[in-house]
Amino acid sequence: MDRNKQEQSRECLTEAKQETEATAKWSWVEASIWTERMLAALENGVKGGKWFSLIDKVYAPRTLERAWKKVHSNRGAAGVDKVSTERFASRAEHYLAELSTALCNGSYRPEGIRRVHIPKGGGKRRPLGIPTVKDRIVQTALKMVLEPIFEEEFLPSSYGFRPGRGCKDALREVDQLLKSGFTWVVDADLQSYFDTIQHRALMDQVEARVSDGRIIGLIESYLQQEVFDGLSRWTPTSGTPQGAIISPLLANLYLHPLDELIAAEGLRMVRYADDFVILCRNPRDAQRALHLVQQWTSGHGLQLHPDKTRLGDCTQAGQGFEFLGYRFEGGRRHVRRKSLKALRDKIRAKTGRSRGDSLERIIADLNPTLRGWFAYFKHANARTFRPIDGFVRRRLRSVLRSHLRRPGRGVCLNDHLRWPNAFFANQRLFTMHEARLALASQPR
């Protein structure tokens, strides 16, 4: 009898532990959509492996209200209808009710996408699609419903645009693999990935898990949204627009079979959206990995960039690789040159001599940029930071010279005496070198 009680007690503790772990795993989901019963079905699998009757979760007023709060907090520009988040907010209750009714009766149709071009670096520009506020709300609601279904299948090797995972997690994994002897790298670059995703192949991936025809139709309508770029307009036949809220989830789904293929071959890949590296112990495995990637991409309508895809031994000079802003080479991790240049460009933009603001306001504007950059790159080589601090102070001294109506070109030796480093410290200028010293002194 006592033994039976002990076994029952152990079973109860095991069940309680499993429930606690499941709750923590899915703590990010929207509770009004993903009830405990639905999460249990997600964990245990649904009949036939497909989910039915999901559209009612999308058009539920609570779902749309929650989606609107997310869109409103992210702000963003107006779409082709010129309705901003501020204008939408003035009649949010009315607009949300309209959206719910239209989704419920099937009359909802997405509007076109306004395309803009943002600087990418190297003089290049990246196309960005801006949906209307209404479409962003529906896409957010759709993502809230679908993301847990796909997340249950995604592999640990994928880090980009996933809940509870990010760049730093991916970089830690790369560091760990390199230290474990996986120094041969396949550094792959997918050419125009978001624009070349094949619609039919993507929808096959969606339909393998979702059997709600209205949900399928909704996703297809987003893939076929008309694009407005200045005076030009067209309907895309491939790709998913960068800037659309649902795009990162669909992009991860499209590359999920590649994750599975590489894992099944016993190879180690670290992927952040369309940026990935495969780390191997020897050149033979690296060659095999590159061949697998080439075969898979050619069979799925994707292309590897011929000049940016390579393999090599990253312990050797000149054979390193760049990933998520860093360069890994010779057993060390450096900030890549493009990342340093981008920071300097941002500093220049905020410290122009013609800027009429006070030094206090300029520093208040600069500090968030400097703190954010340091927070991401703080584990880079310690010698990275002092030159950046010096560059910032030189720019600020130039601004101060302009306030005194002195020449701005060149460096005046008296500047360091008039405005020494301590002067800027008293003005609360964030200093990366000091921050790195403080970080190094912390107990591990």
Side-chain angles (χ1 to χ4, degrees):
M1 190 72 175
D2 290 340
R3 182 176 297 175
N4 289 337
K5 288 183 178 180
Q6 289 176 355
E7 289 178 356
Q8 290 176 357
S9 178
R10 277 197 295 270
E11 288 176 359
C12 288
L13 288 172
T14 300
E15 290 177 1
K17 183 180 179 181
Q18 289 174 343
E19 289 179 2
T20 301
E21 291 174 347
T23 300
K25 176 182 176 182
W26 300 108
S27 60
W28 54 271
V29 304
E30 185 60 37
S32 63
I33 301 171
W34 285 92
T35 62
E36 290 185 10
R37 182 180 63 82
M38 287 184 68
L39 288 176
L42 191 62
E43 292 277 349
N44 300 323
V46 292
K47 186 177 180 181
K50 294 186 179 185
W51 288 79
F52 296 80
S53 302
L54 294 172
I55 190 64
D56 61 306
K57 310 293 189 299
V58 175
Y59 65 67
R62 287 188 62 182
T63 303
L64 293 175
E65 287 170 11
R66 180 65 180 141
W68 157 237
K69 287 180 181 178
K70 290 176 180 284
V71 170
H72 191 215
S73 65
N74 291 332
R75 304 276 175 194
V80 293
D81 62 355
K82 300 182 180 180
V83 175
S84 64
T85 51
E86 291 78 11
R87 181 176 166 187
F88 189 96
S90 66
R91 300 189 66 197
E93 187 175 347
H94 171 73
Y95 288 140
L96 291 175
E98 281 187 342
L99 271 180
S100 180
T101 299
L103 286 164
C104 180
N105 64 29
S107 62
Y108 167 80
R109 296 292 182 274
E111 297 188 63
I113 289 179
R114 182 168 69 89
R115 174 169 281 193
V116 297
H117 299 267
I118 58 175
K120 183 180 179 182
K124 297 181 180 179
R125 300 174 74 81
R126 183 194 303 276
L128 184 69
I130 303 177
T132 64
V133 173
K134 287 184 178 181
D135 290 343
R136 296 206 294 268
I137 292 169
V138 179
Q139 285 191 29
T140 301
L142 184 63
K143 181 173 179 281
M144 289 160 59
V145 171
L146 292 180
E147 191 168 29
I149 295 172
F150 300 142
E151 269 294 319
E152 177 63 13
E153 297 191 16
F154 287 165
L155 300 186
S157 58
S158 167
Y159 290 88
F161 307 108
R162 295 184 58 191
R165 302 167 74 81
C167 292
K168 292 184 179 180
D169 301 304
L171 291 167
R172 275 192 289 269
E173 177 68 8
V174 168
D175 271 332
Q176 184 177 343
L177 287 170
L178 291 174
K179 290 173 182 176
S180 300
F182 293 81
T183 58
W184 277 86
V185 62
V186 175
D187 184 10
D189 184 273
L190 292 171
Q191 200 165 7
S192 302
Y193 172 62
F194 280 83
D195 291 333
T196 54
I197 292 175
Q198 301 297 294
H199 288 174
R200 186 60 262 160
L202 173 60
M203 292 311 302
D204 287 343
Q205 285 277 78
V206 175
E207 291 169 19
R209 299 159 179 82
V210 176
S211 194
D212 186 323
R214 307 229 346 238
I215 293 287
I216 300 298
L218 201 54
I219 297 173
E220 288 179 331
S221 69
Y222 288 129
L223 296 177
Q224 296 164 10
Q225 277 179 283
E226 195 169 20
V227 178
F228 294 79
D229 189 350
L231 298 177
S232 301
R233 54 191 290 181
W234 70 92
T235 301
T237 57
S238 65
T240 178
Q242 295 188 61
I245 290 169
I246 198 69
S247 287
L249 178 61
L250 297 178
N252 269 333
L253 180 63
Y254 197 74
L255 288 178
H256 176 61
L258 177 61
D259 297 343
E260 292 183 310
L261 172 64
I262 298 300
E265 291 292 327
L267 298 166
R268 305 296 294 271
M269 179 164 73
V270 182
R271 180 172 68 80
Y272 191 94
D274 59 327
D275 193 2
F276 64 90
V277 291
I278 303 174
L279 296 160
C280 307
R281 290 190 181 276
N282 54 64
R284 185 185 66 255
D285 283 348
Q287 288 281 4
R288 181 165 61 94
L290 180 57
H291 181 66
L292 285 170
V293 172
Q294 289 171 332
Q295 280 191 318
W296 190 89
T297 52
S298 64
H300 289 77
L302 304 177
Q303 285 188 328
L304 294 176
H305 197 295
D307 300 325
K308 297 181 181 180
T309 299
R310 50 177 296 279
L311 59 84
D313 180 0
C314 67
T315 62
Q316 303 300 312
Q319 296 189 42
F321 64 96
E322 295 183 351
F323 186 61
L324 299 180
Y326 283 93
R327 180 166 182 83
F328 296 84
E329 186 171 291
R332 300 173 74 178
R333 185 164 82 170
H334 309 268
V335 179
R336 71 174 186 166
R337 291 179 182 176
K338 285 184 179 180
S339 302
L340 287 168
K341 182 182 182 302
L343 174 64
R344 286 174 176 260
D345 288 344
K346 288 180 181 178
I347 293 170
R348 287 190 184 97
K350 293 177 182 290
T351 56
R353 284 176 55 83
S354 61
R355 180 169 177 173
D357 292 328
S358 66
L359 180 67
E360 182 182 9
R361 293 192 65 175
I362 293 173
I363 289 176
D365 190 23
L366 262 179
N367 277 344
T369 297
L370 300 176
R371 290 180 187 278
W373 197 90
F374 177 78
Y376 186 79
F377 289 107
K378 62 186 176 183
H379 295 299
N381 189 296
R383 288 178 291 183
T384 301
F385 306 107
R386 196 186 289 271
I388 297 173
D389 293 333
F391 177 72
V392 172
R393 285 191 289 261
R394 285 195 300 275
R395 295 288 302 180
L396 292 176
R397 289 184 181 112
S398 179
V399 170
L400 290 170
R401 279 202 304 275
S402 74
H403 289 175
L404 297 176
R405 303 186 180 221
R406 292 172 178 263
R409 294 186 179 276
V411 176
C412 178
L413 295 178
N414 289 331
D415 286 354
H416 290 78
L417 299 177
R418 184 187 293 270
W419 302 298
N421 294 356
F423 169 80
F424 294 106
N426 289 335
Q427 297 294 319
R428 299 180 181 273
L429 175 67
F430 178 77
T431 308
M432 294 192 190
H433 176 67
E434 296 297 328
R436 179 56 187 264
L437 291 178
L439 180 69
S441 67
Q442 293 177 359
R444 296 190 178 185

